[in-house]
Amino acid sequence: MRYITLLIVIVASALVRLYAIDVTAGGVEAALKDSSPETMTTLTLSGTIDARDIAYIANSMPQLTAIDLSATSITEYSSTDALFANYVTYAANELPPCCFAGKAYTSVVLPGTLTSIGDGAFTGCTALTQINIPASVTRIGDFAFASAPALIKVTGAAGVQTIGSYAFNRSTNLSAVPVTSVKSIGAYAFQGCERLSALTFGSSVEQIGEGAFKASGLTAADLSSTRVATIGAWAFADTEGLTTVKLPATIESLGDGAFFYSTSLNKVEMPKGLTTINNFVFGNVTNMTEMDPMPESVTHIGDYAFTDWTDIVEFSIPSTVKHIGTGAFRNWKALRYFNSRPAVPPTLGETVWEGIDQSAVVLKVDKPSESLYKAAEQWRDFQVSNTSEVSAIESAVKVTFSGDVLRASATEQIESATVYDLSGIVLATKNPAATSVEFNLGAYSAKVYVLRCALASGKVEFIKFGTK
């Protein structure tokens, strides 16, 4: 049997007891049996250990707050009796599943040869503030650091390729964790990590699981350099501070509700190749005011995909779109122009345009398709016009709303501007001799108005519009 050395230092009348031990696998209990292990607060090990030693430390040393395993290596161990949860076999170089769950450790230094952190290894460790992951570790297991509210920072982790499901779930103070080498981020891995505001996604990332960053503190998600093909359902949902998203060229599908209720989101870059925008993907993204053009590859827009984008004035769908789901554009109350490029009107779910006064919105389509849109259910309720008829209005005068205030802007001087209701009654007239003019319509109750603008060039334009 290997020689065992035991160093005991007693400090401040045994209130703090520091131990450093060199052991062989299975030897920790024997080395400490005569040294009151129940009172030890700090333990440093070297040599080899296995699951029996880790179980003894976890179960027989209740005062322990700091463990240094950096000079140890973990050997394989099997038993007929479970040491942790229902496990009876424990792999070499893996911290056993659930081994330190719920312990009051403030500091743990992991073995330098470790390759895996087992499922639930540190779950519920409410006092753990920091952990360094050795470069040899390739996997962080499911629930490994879940519900560790004091955990602020994860360092190292240069070799980690897999972060398991719920790995850091509800570690509410976690502010830093490296993911530059990671390939897979599991379901709900960082859900509820409220202080995790920034992450650098490396080019190796291929999979982002369901709810991975739900209700986290992320303010930006730049995935443009990754190889992600599918973002899981609700992956970034309820991230209230998220403002910008850049998607990779490899993306093919966005899972249901991927950015649902990300209320601060104001910019999304969609790459070519995206074919499906699933249900609720961008639902209730209430701060969105503009969006890059949807790529000429999208064929399907799901139910409530863009619901409650209340400030969008103009929007376009590409020629490839074949179906738009129920409520997809619900409550787009500021919408004035909708450009539909498909030659054949896309099929529609129920109440796609709920909450929109379609009579106040110009639907712009290619001239050969005009009659088809005018005959199609739901589409025909717009002011259907072909693009050649409305191009002059687009280039000369544009109407926007802020509250009750109408603002008309032109590319040339507006000599006079008059607002009418639909019965032809003049409500207000101004002679701005400027390129813009404003009207406060708060005193009027109509939903639809007509604006007449006489321009310096002699051109007179009529614009029909609705209020929110």
Side-chain angles (χ1 to χ4, degrees), residues 30-285:
L32 296 178
K33 65 180 180 179
D34 297 325
S35 305
S36 301
E38 68 278 1
T39 66
M40 297 179 185
T41 57
T42 300
L43 178 67
T44 299
L45 297 179
S46 59
T48 59
I49 60 175
D50 62 25
R52 292 170 294 177
D53 302 306
I54 296 172
Y56 181 79
I57 293 168
N59 298 328
S60 301
M61 306 180 75
Q63 300 300 316
L64 205 61
T65 59
I67 308 172
D68 186 347
L69 303 176
S70 59
T72 68
S73 60
I74 298 174
T75 61
E76 182 181 359
Y77 179 75
S78 296
S79 172
T80 56
D81 298 321
L83 297 178
F84 302 105
N86 295 320
Y87 295 90
V88 294
T89 300
Y90 307 93
N93 298 316
E94 177 181 72
L95 204 61
C98 307
C99 60
F100 294 136
K103 300 304 178 183
Y105 303 148
T106 58
S107 174
V108 177
V109 184
L110 298 173
T113 56
L114 197 68
T115 59
S116 177
I117 297 174
D119 297 348
F122 294 96
T123 188
C125 287
T126 57
L128 190 66
T129 59
Q130 181 175 334
I131 193 80
N132 182 72
I133 310 293
S136 54
V137 172
T138 60
R139 176 182 177 270
I140 296 174
D142 299 345
F143 295 93
F145 296 93
S147 300
L151 186 63
I152 298 173
K153 183 167 61 173
V154 175
T155 57
V160 172
Q161 297 181 16
T162 301
I163 296 177
S165 297
Y166 298 89
F168 295 93
N169 186 276
R170 302 200 182 280
S171 292
T172 52
N173 281 296
L174 183 65
S175 61
V177 55
V179 295
T180 52
S181 62
V182 172
K183 291 184 177 180
S184 175
I185 299 174
Y188 301 96
F190 295 96
Q191 180 189 22
C193 293
E194 300 170 355
R195 298 202 176 179
L196 189 64
S197 61
L199 278 179
T200 300
F201 294 92
S203 59
S204 58
V205 179
E206 297 176 356
Q207 179 179 347
I208 295 178
E210 178 177 336
F213 296 95
K214 189 175 188 291
S216 71
L218 284 184
T219 58
D222 186 352
L223 302 169
S224 58
S225 65
T226 71
R227 294 182 285 180
V228 174
T230 301
I231 292 177
W234 320 104
F236 295 90
D238 299 318
T239 50
E240 296 181 355
L242 188 66
T243 60
T244 59
V245 172
K246 294 181 180 180
L247 299 174
T250 51
I251 202 79
E252 296 175 359
S253 177
L254 300 171
D256 287 355
F259 297 95
F260 186 67
Y261 262 108
S262 293
T263 53
S264 297
L265 192 61
N266 57 42
K267 186 171 179 58
V268 177
E269 294 182 7
M270 291 189 177
K272 296 177 181 178
L274 182 66
T275 59
T276 303
I277 299 175
N278 282 332
N279 303 335
F280 299 98
V281 168
F282 295 105
N284 294 90
V285 180

Side-chain angles (χ1 to χ4, degrees), residues 253-462:
S253 177
L254 300 171
D256 287 355
F259 297 95
F260 186 67
Y261 262 108
S262 293
T263 53
S264 297
L265 192 61
N266 57 42
K267 186 171 179 58
V268 177
E269 294 182 7
M270 291 189 177
K272 296 177 181 178
L274 182 66
T275 59
T276 303
I277 299 175
N278 282 332
N279 303 335
F280 299 98
V281 168
F282 295 105
N284 294 90
V285 180
T286 53
N287 197 46
M288 190 71 74
T289 57
E290 62 179 333
M291 185 175 181
D292 286 351
M294 196 178 294
E296 283 281 344
S297 54
V298 173
T299 61
H300 184 93
I301 298 173
D303 296 346
Y304 303 99
F306 299 100
T307 187
D308 293 311
W309 285 24
T310 56
D311 295 322
I312 296 292
V313 175
E314 184 166 1
F315 196 77
S316 299
I317 60 171
S319 62
T320 49
V321 173
K322 296 179 179 179
H323 178 77
I324 301 175
T326 296
F329 295 96
R330 185 183 67 173
N331 289 335
W332 281 41
K333 296 181 179 181
L335 188 65
R336 297 294 172 263
Y337 300 100
F338 194 92
N339 309 312
S340 187
R341 305 303 184 198
V344 176
T347 59
L348 301 177
E350 298 179 4
T351 59
V352 170
W353 320 104
E354 180 184 354
I356 298 175
D357 182 3
Q358 289 177 255
S359 65
V361 178
V362 175
L363 173 64
K364 297 182 285 186
V365 301
D366 291 335
K367 190 174 181 62
S369 303
E370 185 176 358
S371 61
L372 297 176
Y373 280 89
K374 285 183 175 180
E377 289 287 341
Q378 295 191 59
W379 290 108
R380 64 190 180 202
D381 297 328
F382 290 107
Q383 300 178 50
V384 181
S385 301
N386 66 67
T387 52
S388 62
E389 289 178 344
V390 296
S391 60
I393 294 177
E394 286 184 296
S395 61
V397 179
K398 189 174 182 65
V399 171
T400 59
F401 260 95
S402 178
D404 294 324
V405 177
L406 159 71
R407 178 180 175 85
S409 301
T411 56
E412 58 181 288
Q413 185 167 289
I414 302 172
E415 298 295 339
S416 67
T418 303
V419 178
Y420 304 82
D421 65 16
L422 288 182
S423 64
I425 296 175
V426 175
L427 302 178
T429 298
K430 290 187 178 182
N431 300 294
T435 56
S436 65
V437 62
E438 292 184 354
F439 293 93
N440 191 320
L441 302 179
Y444 307 108
S445 59
K447 293 184 178 180
V448 182
Y449 301 88
V450 174
L451 175 67
R452 176 188 184 275
C453 287
L455 306 177
S457 63
K459 183 188 299 182
V460 177
E461 294 184 356
F462 291 86

